[in-house]
Amino acid sequence: MWEGRALGVRRDVTALASAGLDVARLHEAAIALVGRVVPCDLTCWASMDPDSGVFSTMTSGADRIPQQYEPVLATCEYTPGEPHTFAALAQRGDTVARLEDERSARLNEVWRPLGLSHELRSLFRVGDTCWGGAGMVRTNDFSERELEFMTWVAPAIGAATQVAARTSARRTGAPAIVVVTGDGTIRASTASAARWRDELEDVAPGRFAVVLRAAAAGARAGTFRARLRDAHGGWILLEASELVGDETGEAAVTISRASGADLLGLRLKAHGVTTREEDVCHGVLAGQPTSEIAARLAISPYTVQDHLKSLFAKFGVRSRAELAAELS
């Protein structure tokens, strides 16, 4: 019975992917499909930047997590020792996990105050690349069969999220700089930061504070860089680094519209481009002829042409010029 339910959801999710939905609408529909089999009181799904692991979008179920708890959850994701963070699950290669650790801050400071005590997390992967994840919370425990169900359907959701990541609306906007403390509190900002705050708040209330906390945490470990989806299908680039000579742990966060170059690696991953095809892509974007690409990669011109044919098929184009235009 459970395997049949999983097969049905996998088929429905695959159909959603082929419908050309963006990530938020895809996850909204998939939440409803999964909720018929694995009910929960609260749920939040996210897509992730496949390079940095930072959430690109967040989509809740019918009932939203109260806004005052969202900053606590965001802080927990970047707190050392917090069990089963999405980053830790991705690093371990896990697909699903139940939260049972009594030391968990999100269990004690968020779920229990809301009358909930059990959490199930799932990651949406394609191969070694993580495209998203889901947090599902309720009063009673999740069964082994429910864990198996999520294990069965997660790859289909990952593949659908990968496809949805290909969509991109072209938007503009003046960059902004925000200076934050180590916990993401704003110390200073340029005037254009208010517009980026409003744009990120359109995705989810509290989203601006969440991404600043993520940037502050990332800056403490080195230079931070992540791509986020806006509410209109476009991409935002978030970069952060600690201030030079500053002993307070403050960081400068730059928010700007992601360019074609910023999105190149993500779009190549989203279209399933292989490592060798990516090498050929870079040659095409650099304007190199086939013979030069072949010499640089130590392969034959015929092999380059085979890679180009594969790239044309993946991006739905018919020439090198169209491929270059698609990726620019």
Side-chain angles (χ1 to χ4, degrees):
M1 178 181 69
W2 285 88
E3 293 175 353
R5 291 178 176 178
L7 180 60
V9 170
R10 286 169 64 96
R11 288 172 175 167
D12 289 342
V13 168
T14 301
L16 290 172
S18 63
L21 300 180
D22 62 22
V23 174
R25 289 190 296 163
L26 169 74
H27 281 183
E28 183 179 356
I31 285 171
L33 291 172
V34 169
R36 296 171 189 168
V37 184
V38 184
C40 55
D41 297 305
L42 292 175
T43 186
C44 183
W45 289 26
S47 63
M48 297 180 187
D49 182 325
D51 292 331
S52 68
V54 172
F55 298 159
S56 296
T57 65
M58 294 188 298
T59 306
S60 295
D63 294 318
R64 293 190 59 86
I65 298 168
Q67 187 173 344
Q68 66 266 31
Y69 290 107
E70 290 185 349
V72 181
L73 286 173
T75 300
C76 289
E77 287 300 315
Y78 302 98
T79 300
E82 176 68 15
H84 296 336
T85 63
F86 284 109
L89 294 177
Q91 187 174 18
R92 294 202 305 262
D94 292 345
T95 299
V96 297
R98 283 182 294 203
L99 178 60
E100 300 173 333
D101 195 325
E102 293 295 327
R103 298 169 299 174
S104 167
R106 66 181 187 274
L107 177 63
N108 293 314
E109 297 178 23
V110 180
W111 303 139
R112 282 179 173 160
L114 291 172
L116 308 171
S117 53
H118 297 278
E119 180 193 70
L120 171 64
R121 285 192 162 188
S122 177
L123 287 183
F124 307 143
R125 303 174 182 277
V126 177
D128 294 330
T129 303
C130 187
W131 289 96
M136 308 163 68
V137 193
R138 69 188 191 193
T139 53
N140 58 305
D141 201 0
F142 293 89
S143 69
E144 291 295 331
R145 297 300 284 173
E146 289 174 321
L147 265 69
E148 289 179 0
F149 172 84
M150 290 305 301
T151 302
W152 288 330
V153 302
I157 300 171
T161 304
Q162 178 188 24
V163 171
R166 300 173 186 175
T167 62
S168 179
R170 302 283 182 174
R171 295 173 62 80
T172 59
I177 298 175
V178 182
V179 177
V180 297
T181 62
D183 64 357
T185 301
I186 297 175
R187 290 293 300 272
S189 65
T190 56
S192 54
R195 195 179 66 79
W196 290 106
R197 179 200 61 214
D198 293 342
E199 188 162 335
L200 286 165
E201 294 289 315
D202 281 345
V203 176
R207 178 66 167 152
F208 191 61
V210 168
V211 299
L212 290 181
R213 282 181 173 82
R220 288 196 297 271
T223 302
F224 173 87
R225 191 172 188 272
R227 294 156 298 197
L228 316 171
R229 297 305 292 261
D230 62 24
H232 308 282
W235 287 94
I236 297 169
L237 179 65
L238 198 73
E239 299 177 285
S241 59
E242 286 192 310
L243 296 177
V244 177
D246 184 82
E247 298 180 356
T248 65
E250 292 185 350
V253 182
T254 302
I255 309 171
S256 60
R257 190 68 61 191
S259 68
D262 296 324
L263 299 173
L264 178 59
L266 185 148
R267 297 198 66 206
L268 294 177
K269 282 187 174 71
H271 284 81
V273 172
T274 66
T275 300
R276 184 56 86 190
E277 289 170 351
E278 182 175 349
D279 292 336
V280 172
C281 254
H282 286 299
V284 170
L285 291 173
Q288 296 175 343
T290 297
S291 58
E292 190 173 336
I293 296 174
R296 177 172 58 84
L297 300 179
I299 58 179
S300 74
Y302 297 105
T303 302
V304 173
Q305 291 296 337
D306 288 340
H307 287 314
L308 285 171
K309 289 178 183 177
S310 176
L311 287 165
F312 294 166
K314 289 178 178 180
F315 285 93
V317 298
R318 294 176 294 179
S319 68
R320 292 165 60 112
E322 289 182 2
L323 178 64
E326 176 69 22
L327 295 174
S328 62

